[in-house]
Amino acid sequence: MFEKGDDPLKKFVMRTFLRLHTALYRLSNGKIGGNMGDNKILLLNSIGRKSGKERVSPLAYIEDNGRYILTASNGGGPNHPGWYYNLLNTPNVTIEVMGKTINAMAKMAEGAERNRLWEKLTANFDQFRQYQEKTDRTIQMFILTPEQL
């Protein structure tokens, strides 16, 4: 989300916005903050790989056969978002989706499955294709499989 040398005011505004978004999402069971434009939003609760503390990230997702798909686009920035590394380190997560709390296991999408999910995502949300064009890194996708599946 942030790059080295980012403006402290920008960091403060973004952190404040994310905290407010998370609070409103939880208070309204996703009625406020559950959609941003055409994107559906969930709250990813992961464990910080360095801090060991719970981290909450409001993220856009798509659904695929009962699973939740997250895209580590970071707006096309040069680095993966922090939550990407958290999932690699601790793949057991909790997500909040429109008032439901779901335990899930995260795994990175690879090969043909990643290509299929990328096409599904970008067919409806061209901004992700634009993010890929902005960066040299491959934008990764994670599959979150609920415990009951």
Side-chain angles (χ1 to χ4, degrees), residues 16-148:
T16 301
F17 172 77
L18 292 174
R19 285 186 185 118
L20 180 61
H21 185 165
T22 298
L24 290 172
Y25 190 107
R26 286 179 170 158
L27 285 170
S28 70
N29 291 322
K31 290 181 182 80
I32 300 172
N35 292 293
M36 292 185 77
D38 292 332
N39 293 313
K40 296 191 287 185
I41 306 296
L42 59 72
L43 300 180
L44 171 67
N45 298 281
S46 61
I47 303 298
R49 73 181 168 107
K50 292 180 182 177
S51 69
K53 295 179 182 177
E54 183 177 291
R55 301 292 182 206
V56 181
S57 304
L59 299 171
Y61 72 95
I62 60 171
E63 294 179 62
D64 183 69
N65 299 320
R67 305 173 306 168
Y68 299 86
I69 312 303
L70 303 179
T71 306
S73 65
N74 205 16
N79 301 312
H80 297 295
W83 62 263
Y84 165 92
Y85 299 103
N86 295 347
L87 295 189
L88 290 179
N89 192 59
T90 307
N92 295 321
V93 298
T94 302
I95 56 176
E96 298 171 55
V97 184
M98 304 304 286
K100 294 182 206 165
T101 300
I102 302 165
N103 294 322
M105 178 64 74
K107 77 169 191 157
M108 196 176 320
E110 298 178 319
E113 184 170 42
R114 189 246 179 232
N115 293 340
R116 179 184 67 78
L117 292 170
W118 181 258
E119 289 306 315
K120 181 176 181 174
L121 174 73
T122 57
N124 295 307
F125 305 101
D126 192 57
Q127 75 262 26
F128 290 98
R129 193 178 314 276
Q130 294 169 19
Y131 296 155
Q132 183 61 74
E133 291 170 1
K134 286 175 55 177
T135 187
D136 292 330
R137 68 182 172 85
T138 299
I139 293 177
Q140 301 297 333
M141 301 179 79
F142 278 88
I143 301 166
L144 276 56
T145 303
E147 279 185 352
Q148 64 270 20

